[in-house]
Amino acid sequence: LRATRWCRWVLADGDRPCGRVAAFAPAARPEVGYFGFFECPDDAGIARALLGAAEAWLAGLGRREVYGPVAVTPRDRIGLLIEGFERPALLFTPYNPPYYARLLESAGYTPAHYLRAYGWQPGYRDDRGVVPLAERVAARAAVRVRTLDPARLGEETRLVVQLVNQTLAGAWHFEPISESEAARLAALLGPVLDPSIALVAEDHEGPCAVFLAIPDVWWLWRRAGGALWPFGWARLLQWRRRIPQARVMALGALPRARRTGTVAQLIGRLDQAGRARGYRYGELSQVYEDNHAMRRVLDRMRLPVVRRYAVYARRLEA
């Protein structure tokens, strides 16, 4: 982001790199800095050296608090994985060795915010009947759900970004998505977009909620063994329509749609589409622990929490 200053460091043992970190100083919050892209062996001394470099740079810019791991901004890749190491990470979500939490705590960091991921599998059942009730409530409120139109991807992306910016305006350190970022995201995800799991809800005033799920492109990378040459790229093209899992990247409802059953209706629609399209696993992430309205719906539907994340913080001296 142009409004964010940044710096990167690599720690080397002779000619061998053994760790890295980056620091970000957002213009919108002159007292705050972030660290991210943290990679380190299980060595507290190396961790302190890397984090100390980031902290000194941020303190030199007048920053008094540092949070992390955060990749550029909190609406990008955020948090340290602290529970749920059994599965590989899904698209644009953090993954790290379990010992990272101990390294950060040994460097003076404490957890400041928690996030969670909810899981979905084809065997999921809405035992409490939340979705049928939500559909009846939404019908009375004249809410209809439609899929995104790939033929109008640019226009649809701008609509999704507008809804995300409005619904997440009160989230911790959220920075609105710009039009240029939206265009880059559309170009990146357009080739693998599955419209059946990318949903928009509309009422009498217009679009009021969004539920954007994306096939997990990282599964393709793992399936190809991380190698694109000489035949990896061909395998990716062959498998890209058969990705068996997806990540919900955005789920939000405007205030007028939050008590109309719209969110549960969207989740029910996604469940139907996921089964029909042959998906075997999905994650809704990342949901802040203090997002009680969203958690209330997801917990009532008994979707399991499959991962937990923490954002760590430390005060900086002048």
Side-chain angles (χ1 to χ4, degrees):
L1 295 178
R2 293 182 179 180
T4 298
R5 298 181 64 181
W6 53 270
C7 193
R8 299 173 293 182
W9 296 265
V10 172
L11 184 64
D13 180 6
D15 294 333
R16 183 178 64 87
C18 55
R20 71 173 187 179
V21 74
F24 308 97
R29 292 178 173 79
E31 296 291 315
V32 170
Y34 307 123
F35 77 85
F37 298 106
F38 176 72
E39 300 287 348
C40 185
D42 191 1
D43 187 306
I46 293 176
R48 282 195 295 270
L50 288 166
L51 294 168
E55 293 163 5
W57 183 79
L58 290 168
L61 296 177
R63 310 295 163 136
R64 295 295 169 258
E65 292 179 304
V66 57
Y67 295 91
V70 171
V72 188
T73 77
R75 62 169 166 74
D76 300 313
R77 197 179 309 176
I78 177 175
L80 192 77
L81 182 65
I82 57 175
E83 292 180 20
F85 296 93
E86 300 83 9
R87 289 179 177 270
L90 267 69
L91 183 67
F92 301 144
T93 60
Y95 194 89
N96 51 265
Y99 64 80
Y100 273 25
R102 175 166 38 82
L103 292 182
L104 293 184
E105 290 166 6
S106 70
Y109 285 80
T110 57
H113 301 280
Y114 291 96
L115 305 96
R116 54 176 61 184
Y118 289 82
W120 171 89
Q121 289 181 309
Y124 162 75
R125 292 291 183 271
D126 180 20
D127 296 329
R128 303 181 68 181
V130 176
V131 171
L133 175 61
E135 289 177 343
R136 291 195 295 270
V137 173
R140 290 198 296 270
V143 175
R144 77 177 188 96
V145 175
R146 67 171 180 84
T147 60
L148 293 188
D149 183 358
R152 300 185 299 115
L153 187 58
E155 180 181 342
E156 294 282 60
T157 302
R158 288 191 293 272
L159 171 61
V160 169
V161 165
Q162 181 182 7
L163 287 169
V164 169
N165 285 343
Q166 289 180 284
T167 58
L168 296 182
W172 179 76
H173 287 199
F174 176 76
E175 295 185 17
I177 305 170
S178 68
E179 287 194 10
S180 60
E181 290 176 286
R184 289 196 296 271
L185 185 63
L188 177 67
L189 300 179
V192 294
L193 180 69
D194 181 351
S196 70
I197 57 173
L199 310 172
V200 172
E202 298 175 334
D203 60 14
H204 64 284
E205 296 184 38
C208 60
V210 60
F211 198 111
L212 179 62
I214 298 292
D216 180 28
V217 182
W218 286 0
W219 177 88
L220 284 179
W221 182 258
R222 291 190 295 271
R223 183 69 183 266
L228 295 181
W229 185 261
F231 302 114
W233 63 271
R235 296 192 185 101
L236 295 187
L237 291 176
Q238 178 184 359
W239 296 329
R240 69 189 181 97
R241 297 301 181 191
R242 293 185 288 167
I243 298 174
Q245 57 193 40
R247 181 203 168 193
V248 178
M249 297 183 62
L251 171 56
L254 299 181
R256 70 176 191 268
R258 291 175 186 169
R259 294 187 179 274
T260 62
T262 302
V263 171
Q265 184 188 22
L266 286 168
I267 294 174
R269 239 333 247 285
L270 183 74
D271 178 53
Q272 295 173 2
R275 294 169 189 267
R277 297 284 288 176
Y279 288 99
R280 299 196 297 270
Y281 181 71
E283 278 189 12
L284 195 163
S285 60
Q286 299 165 291
V287 179
Y288 280 94
E289 289 273 351
D290 60 2
N291 189 347
H292 300 294
M294 186 62 66
R295 284 181 50 196
R296 190 179 305 115
V297 174
L298 300 173
D299 292 340
R300 283 185 62 200
M301 299 182 74
R302 296 183 179 176
L303 288 169
V305 176
V306 293
R307 303 185 204 260
R308 296 183 189 273
Y309 308 87
V311 178
Y312 285 75
R314 186 183 183 188
R315 291 286 300 175
L316 298 179
E317 299 296 331

